[in-house]
Each structure stands twice: as C-alpha cells, then as structure tokens.
Amino acid sequence: MTFFDTYNKYKDFDFDSFIKNIKLNDFNISLNKEYKNIFDFLTLIAADIDDTMLENIAKFSYESTIKNFGKTISLYSPLYLANHCINNCVYCGFKASNKIQRKKLNLNDLQKEAIEIKNLGIKHILILTGESRKDTPVEYILECLNIIKPYFSSISVEIYPLESDEYKLLIENGIDGLTIYQETYHQGNYANLHSGPKKDFLYRLETPDRAASAHIRTIGVGSLLGLYNVYYDVFFTALHADYLMRTYPEIEISVSFPRIRPEVGGYNPYTIIDDKLFVRFIIAMRLFLPKVGILLSTRESASFRDNMIGLGVTKFSAGSKTEVGGYTLDDEDKTERQFDISDERSVSEIASVIYKKGYQPIYTDWAP
Ligand code: SF4
C-alpha cells in the first residue's frame, strides 16, 4: 500500500461543489475542532470569509506554532551540483529544450562551494541536480557526499526519483533527508506539463514511500502553486503529508508549496496566487497538521517572509543561490538560475531579523 491508494480515494472528488456549498457555520465548526480532518482543512482554505475571520485562523496558527515548535526558525541553504536535465517541464528554466549553459560541479569546485556555505554558518544543506541519471548518476552523488559530509550535520537531496535501495545507499553515505515535489497532483494536468521520465506520475507519487522504506530521517513533499487549481494541489499536498505522518510516524515530514516564479523561457502560470490566499494556505496547514514542518523559500520576498515568522512557518532557506556554482564561481562560470530569487539577503541578515522578532534562528537540530 502506498499514497496512491489514498490518492485514488479523493482524486475525483468534486471540489467545486464542496467549496460552493461551504457555509459560515461550517467554517466556524472546522476552525474550532481540536482535531481537524482533511475536509476541515479544505473548508479553512476555501470558505468565503472576511479579514476578521482570517485573523482568527492566524491567531490559532500562531498559538499552534508556538506550542509545537517554540519561537524558532530553522535555516538551510540549497547547493546546486548540476543543471543537466532530460525532462521538459514547461515551467522550469533547466528544461532540456532551453539552450542554456549546462554544468556539473567538479569535486574541487564543489568543495569550495561547501566551505563557503559552511562559513555562512549553515549546517543543513539541500543538494540539487536537474534530473539526468546519465549526467549525474548515483555514483557522482556519492562522490559529492564524500566531499561535503564533513561540513554539514544534515544533508538532504532533491534529485531525480530513486529506487529504495539507492536511497539506502545514499543514506549509508551521509544523506538523511529527501525533498520531492509532485509539482501538481492532478494526473491529467501533470501529463500535459511534463515529458521525459518525469512524466511517470505514479513513480514520482510513490517516491516518498520508497525513501521511507529505506528509513530516511526526513521527507519534504509539496506542489508548485500556479500549475493547476490551487485548492486541488494544496488539498493533496496536505493529504500526502498527513498520509506520510500516519504511515511513518518515525519520519519528520515537512511541506512546501512555492508559488511559481519567472524562469528562463517564460511560462504563464495557470493561476496567480495572491499573498492573502497564500498566507491562508500556510496558517490552515499549521492547524490541520500541527507538527508538520512548513518551509518558505527565498522565492518569496524578504518582507513577506519576515511577516510570516510565527505564522506556521518553521524553516527558511537562506543566502540561496539557484545556479550551479552560485556561491563561489566567477560570473562567467556560473549557469543561469533555475528560478529568480526574491529574498536576496545574506544568512546573517536573515538571522538578525529572526532575532529582532524574538525568535531563534536554528542552524542545526540534528547531528549524525
Ligand atoms: S523541474 Fe526538474 S525535472 Fe523539470 S525541467 Fe526543471 S530541473 Fe528538469
């Protein structure tokens, strides 16, 4: 049994009718329930409410965040190993059809990048590649782990989906976390947006189950908001996280639902998500899954991220570079960015704002 079985129970649910028929009383009942189910969550994100009611969700979310995470924000940085990709996701700057410089870090340059990031104070790192087994095989990832392991206490991967025994091998060699975005949970829309090996919806959907069976420590799932109906994608992101938390209670689960940003080649999103709705997704997620980690990346602006401290969010990326060689290479040797960053502040600037808000930036909560 995998998440696909749970997914199948809900995939044809009539979201439009449900949302159209939400009454104010339903909203109040859902908000005040101690344990909320997935339809309470849908009610909280989709009911037609005024600003006072939104403030009520925010107040509950604030209290739940403090209760479960204290006044802390964890920090991590991404490190792009390569941008080779054999897929053609229509919304991504690294897609195979984009004529951009392709690069894979050699081990010397990788070490420089790792040292630079470590010197920023960062202990948790997310290593990324495009999706190309040929250009960045598991053997290359293992070589990279061997180089960067001494500098970080936690290493997560965001690479092409692997088999369970491959995750086991990476775990034995130093990773402890997996991040994998389903992008959109709508199977038909997913098929339209993707080509290449990534077109296999089910293989991607079951990736967290395969990593869990290899006993990984943390898993992050999410969707890229703007690719499809946002209520549908946020609902399934929440459902996926809930399934993982129930099925693998020993694994730390987090979610992220970044809003789509401009990239090389230009993609017009299916929908634009305004700040108010985006905030509502985050604060409602905190109420539905009080113990789930919620990430907010540097795709969001500095002021937006600052205002979200205390409102459900538990992890910030910081000092991020989304190009290969972004931390240390000369401009002519760096690649294009995968996507534009809004919050360009340094790690220390972000940490200082967190302190000013009365919170503690957390550089490491885990050591092997
Ligand atoms: S989203 Fe990932 S798989 Fe898709 S084109 Fe970009 S790098 Fe490749």
Side-chain angles (χ1 to χ4, degrees):
M1 181 148 162
T2 70
F3 178 59
F4 191 51
D5 300 280
T6 306
Y7 173 81
N8 276 330
K9 285 187 202 155
Y10 296 92
K11 73 180 165 74
D12 297 322
F13 179 72
D14 187 348
F15 285 83
D16 288 343
S17 300
F18 182 91
I19 291 171
K20 207 165 69 189
N21 288 311
I22 300 173
K23 307 278 183 304
L24 212 46
N25 195 37
D26 300 327
F27 172 82
N28 285 325
I29 290 170
S30 292
L31 181 62
N32 287 295
K33 267 191 196 170
E34 187 171 359
Y35 299 105
K36 297 169 180 44
N37 63 36
I38 190 69
F39 291 107
D40 293 317
F41 175 69
L42 185 55
T43 301
L44 292 182
I45 62 174
D48 185 11
I49 56 170
D50 61 23
D51 286 354
T52 309
M53 289 163 166
L54 184 63
E55 278 164 23
N56 261 341
I57 316 182
K59 185 173 142 281
F60 280 106
S61 171
Y62 172 80
E63 287 164 2
S64 176
T65 311
I66 298 276
K67 187 171 161 199
N68 289 288
F69 294 91
K71 290 190 156 190
T72 65
I73 297 282
S74 298
L75 299 179
Y76 72 97
S77 293
L79 167 54
Y80 280 74
L81 303 180
N83 66 352
H84 299 275
C85 192
I86 55 171
N87 292 308
N88 264 308
C89 311
V90 300
Y91 48 82
C92 176
F94 283 0
K95 65 186 161 200
S97 62
N98 268 358
K99 300 293 173 232
I100 57 168
Q101 186 199 353
R102 300 286 168 177
K103 189 175 185 76
K104 174 165 94 173
L105 287 179
N106 64 42
L107 299 183
N108 278 339
D109 286 343
L110 173 63
Q111 186 161 33
K112 285 186 208 150
E113 294 269 295
I115 291 171
E116 179 72 15
I117 296 170
K118 181 208 150 219
N119 287 343
L120 301 173
I122 291 291
K123 296 277 190 195
H124 287 201
I125 194 155
L126 173 65
I127 57 174
L128 304 97
T129 62
E131 297 198 6
S132 172
R133 268 187 184 269
K134 182 170 147 287
D135 295 292
T136 49
V138 169
E139 295 71 32
Y140 169 72
I141 308 290
L142 290 171
E143 285 178 339
C144 291
L145 288 174
N146 202 28
I147 297 290
I148 66 174
K149 228 175 357 184
Y151 303 109
F152 303 105
S153 64
S154 170
I155 303 173
S156 293
V157 288
E158 187 175 342
I159 61 174
Y160 47 87
L162 300 177
E163 290 295 315
S164 189
D165 57 351
E166 291 174 314
Y167 283 121
K168 196 156 181 288
L169 189 59
L170 292 188
I171 292 165
E172 285 163 2
N173 284 277
I175 74 154
D176 62 298
L178 164 76
T179 296
I180 184 107
Y181 291 95
Q182 189 61 30
E183 319 294 12
T184 172
Y185 283 87
H186 186 271
Q187 209 163 354
N189 188 49
Y190 185 93
N192 292 334
L193 295 170
H194 298 98
S195 61
K198 190 169 172 179
K199 202 177 177 79
D200 189 338
F201 178 86
L202 178 56
Y203 190 68
R204 195 169 189 90
L205 194 74
E206 292 184 333
T207 301
D209 286 289
R210 291 194 301 279
S213 72
H215 304 295
I216 203 152
R217 189 181 71 83
T218 72
I219 296 177
V221 293
S223 48
L224 183 55
L225 297 190
L227 296 181
Y228 188 62
N229 179 317
V230 285
Y231 297 109
Y232 190 96
D233 277 335
V234 172
F235 174 93
F236 278 103
T237 301
L239 190 70
H240 202 168
D242 183 43
Y243 159 84
L244 292 169
M245 292 173 94
R246 287 172 192 274
T247 313
Y248 309 107
E250 71 286 6
I251 298 179
E252 190 182 303
I253 306 298
S254 61
V255 294
S256 180
F257 24 84
R259 293 185 278 187
I260 203 157
R261 298 272 309 153
E263 48 80 25
V264 179
Y267 166 72
N268 284 329
Y270 177 97
T271 182
I272 303 285
I273 298 94
D274 66 27
D275 283 357
K276 200 188 265 189
L277 185 58
F278 189 53
V279 168
R280 193 158 157 194
F281 291 154
I282 293 171
I283 57 184
M285 184 71 76
R286 170 58 58 236
L287 298 188
F288 172 49
L289 299 174
K291 293 188 184 301
V292 81
I294 302 180
L295 275 67
L296 199 55
S297 80
T298 49
R299 283 174 186 252
E300 300 300 334
S301 69
S303 61
F304 183 84
R305 297 211 310 163
D306 293 351
N307 289 331
M308 288 308 293
I309 294 172
L311 288 179
V313 174
T314 58
K315 287 186 193 179
F316 276 179
S317 53
S320 300
K321 310 288 179 195
T322 65
E323 63 269 54
V324 182
Y327 295 92
T328 57
L329 295 191
D330 294 335
D331 282 350
E332 63 271 21
D333 294 326
K334 291 177 189 168
T335 64
E336 300 274 0
R337 291 174 166 184
Q338 187 183 26
F339 55 85
D340 286 342
I341 287 171
S342 287
D343 185 351
E344 304 256 14
R345 293 173 299 177
S346 67
V347 173
S348 60
E349 285 170 324
I350 291 170
S352 133
V353 169
I354 293 171
Y355 277 126
K356 272 191 200 137
K357 294 242 173 194
Y359 280 66
Q360 176 90 23
I362 303 293
Y363 295 93
T364 181
D365 59 0
W366 168 256

